[in-house]
Amino acid sequence: QVQLVESGGGLVQAGGSLRLSCAASGRPFGDHRIGWLRQAPGKEREFLASVNWSYGHTAYADSVKGRFTISRDYANDLVYPQMNSLKPEDTAVYYCAAKKSGGAPGSTVVGSYEYWGRGTQVIVSS
């Protein structure tokens, strides 16, 4: 019953910004940590950032820390990353995912996420 739907992807020039959104149905966020992950062509899926739904505690991968900010809209069941200073290597399919609430270290494990959206494509041109 849980569904996660990403939106906001597209084409952006290097140095530009995008904000992606993850909308949830089935009310999965109450006891969950919500993550954003991505998969570039020919590469494994990687963790980017996560936020604890109830408290807003966040975790970031080193590759995006300082450029990406993950936030949640508590009232509207939305989670989104604000992505600034985008680089061509940020080109990937970006996924929203959810898992049972836990600490930040565990949130970095890609395989630990239980629910996944279908992804949204981000292309950063040089």
Side-chain angles (χ1 to χ4, degrees), residues 33-93:
R33 180 172 286 270
I34 313 302
W36 278 92
L37 307 96
R38 70 184 180 190
Q39 187 165 19
K43 299 189 68 176
E44 295 182 345
R45 194 167 295 183
E46 64 174 322
F47 167 82
L48 300 174
S50 67
V51 60
N52 174 274
W53 180 249
S54 295
Y55 295 97
H57 300 157
T58 58
Y60 295 93
D62 289 341
S63 62
V64 302
K65 195 168 187 177
R67 298 190 298 124
F68 292 9
T69 302
I70 189 167
S71 303
R72 88 274 198 270
D73 183 339
Y74 191 84
N76 295 304
D77 292 336
L78 295 171
V79 175
Y80 51 91
Q82 176 66 46
M83 310 191 300
N84 300 323
S85 301
L86 287 164
K87 306 173 182 179
E89 53 262 42
D90 293 320
T91 296
V93 177

